[in-house]
Amino acid sequence: MAGRNAKSQAEFAERLASGPGTVDADKTLDLGSLASVRDFAEHIRGRYQTLDCVMLNAGVMNTPPGKTSDGFEVQMGTNVVGHFLLAKLLASRTRRQVWLSSTGHLLTGDPPGDHARSFENAPRINLDAIKQIDEASYDSWHRYQQSKLGDILLARQFLVEFDKLEGCAVHPGVVRTNLSRHMSVWSIAKYVWFSVTGRGAKVLTPEQGARTQTLCAVMPSGELVAGGFYADCAVSQEADAAKNMDDAKALYDYRDEATRPFQTPQA
């Protein structure tokens, strides 16, 4: 188990340790730092020869404009670039990858309820926007949409690049966590209202939100749809932009080149 904060990570590991099995949580990981990702991957490769499933689960949402320590737009850098490097460094030992995406990859406006969702018109991935940040025109929800779209595309492209790998992408639902800490009180109130009135997605507990990704982690190989997009514990519909394998290849290659200095062990 990995986390950015050693104290909270240790406290959560202690809670998990009361159940069956063991928990390894002695190494922190910050997806917003490629050096941290490289160091964590070295730690894992030094300890495990085989990884049954890598859960690419970290994420930020609707953040103010900013960049990671490596100069990437913060949502793309955390949700996609850091995950790409971790997935690539561990791919040769991994049997299955589960990428946490979102129906947010369909967004064409601000959620919830008053935005337009279109499977045909959701924006395609824009590689030029990965590092470019114009604070005057920065659209935090659009950048989130791009990052969640990127996760689906990479979940599919990794299966092309590594032929023995299994994988899929998952929408966990609208989960009550601090992921929404950058949302306004008004936006949160709208989410609650739409949920209560049945016009929007039900707000889930973290335990409920873990159901689909847990299912995808343990599902027999013959039942998992390779590169599928899962929601509510079943294969779901994704945007046309998430099916564009030319975009998936271009995104993979861009990430591969951008992270290459961190793909070798630290001297």
Side-chain angles (χ1 to χ4, degrees):
M1 186 186 71
R4 291 178 296 173
N5 184 292
K7 182 176 182 294
S8 60
Q9 181 175 331
E11 290 172 351
F12 187 60
E14 185 175 352
R15 287 172 54 195
L16 294 180
S18 62
T22 59
V23 180
D24 176 4
D26 59 354
K27 182 72 172 176
T28 57
L29 169 63
D30 182 357
L31 270 295
S33 164
L34 297 183
S36 176
V37 174
R38 177 198 58 209
D39 294 346
F40 181 81
E42 288 182 21
H43 168 78
I44 295 298
R45 289 186 301 197
R47 180 164 294 193
Y48 304 102
Q49 292 301 309
T50 302
L51 303 171
D52 293 309
C53 181
V54 172
M55 192 78 71
L56 301 156
N57 185 63
V60 293
M61 180 179 75
N62 189 38
T63 63
K67 292 186 177 183
T68 67
S69 59
D70 301 288
F72 298 103
E73 188 274 323
V74 67
Q75 295 191 75
M76 291 295 288
T78 303
N79 299 354
V80 185
V81 182
H83 274 143
F84 170 87
L85 180 60
L86 182 63
K88 176 77 183 293
L89 292 176
L90 299 179
S92 63
R93 303 187 185 198
T94 302
R95 294 174 177 171
R96 181 175 297 179
Q97 296 174 345
V98 176
W99 293 72
L100 264 288
S101 182
S102 169
T103 53
H105 83 280
L106 296 166
L107 291 178
T108 56
D110 294 346
D114 57 352
H115 66 284
R117 288 190 176 187
S118 170
F119 292 103
E120 295 81 15
N121 297 327
R124 288 174 57 184
I125 202 74
N126 178 9
L127 300 183
D128 293 335
I130 293 173
K131 281 195 172 184
Q132 296 174 359
I133 300 177
D134 181 354
E135 293 194 14
S137 61
Y138 184 82
D139 185 331
S140 58
W141 281 115
H142 175 67
R143 294 304 181 102
Y144 179 68
Q145 180 270 334
Q146 288 282 285
S147 73
K148 295 293 96 178
L149 172 62
D151 288 330
I152 302 177
L153 292 172
L154 289 178
R156 292 183 165 154
Q157 188 61 32
F158 263 89
L159 305 187
V160 176
E161 303 290 336
F162 298 90
D163 58 2
K164 295 183 179 181
L165 188 66
E166 301 174 352
C168 65
V170 167
H171 168 57
V174 178
V175 187
R176 189 169 62 247
T177 70
N178 66 357
L179 183 67
S180 61
R181 61 190 177 274
H182 296 294
M183 293 175 61
S184 67
V185 173
W186 170 241
S187 294
I188 293 174
K190 285 198 296 181
Y191 257 115
V192 173
W193 171 253
F194 275 89
S195 177
V196 169
T197 59
R199 297 170 58 194
K202 178 183 178 182
V203 178
L204 306 176
T205 66
E207 290 78 11
Q208 292 170 329
R211 290 181 301 191
T212 303
Q213 65 204 71
T214 302
L215 175 67
C216 290
V218 302
M219 188 184 299
S221 297
E223 297 178 16
L224 184 73
V225 175
F229 177 63
Y230 283 80
D232 294 326
C233 295
V235 177
S236 186
Q237 185 177 4
E238 69 276 59
D240 288 351
K243 303 174 186 177
N244 190 315
M245 292 308 295
D246 289 337
D247 286 355
K249 176 62 173 172
L251 179 64
Y252 183 97
D253 289 346
Y254 181 93
R255 296 289 192 265
D256 199 29
E257 183 63 31
T259 61
R260 195 167 302 280
F262 296 90
Q263 293 188 29
T264 56
Q266 189 175 18

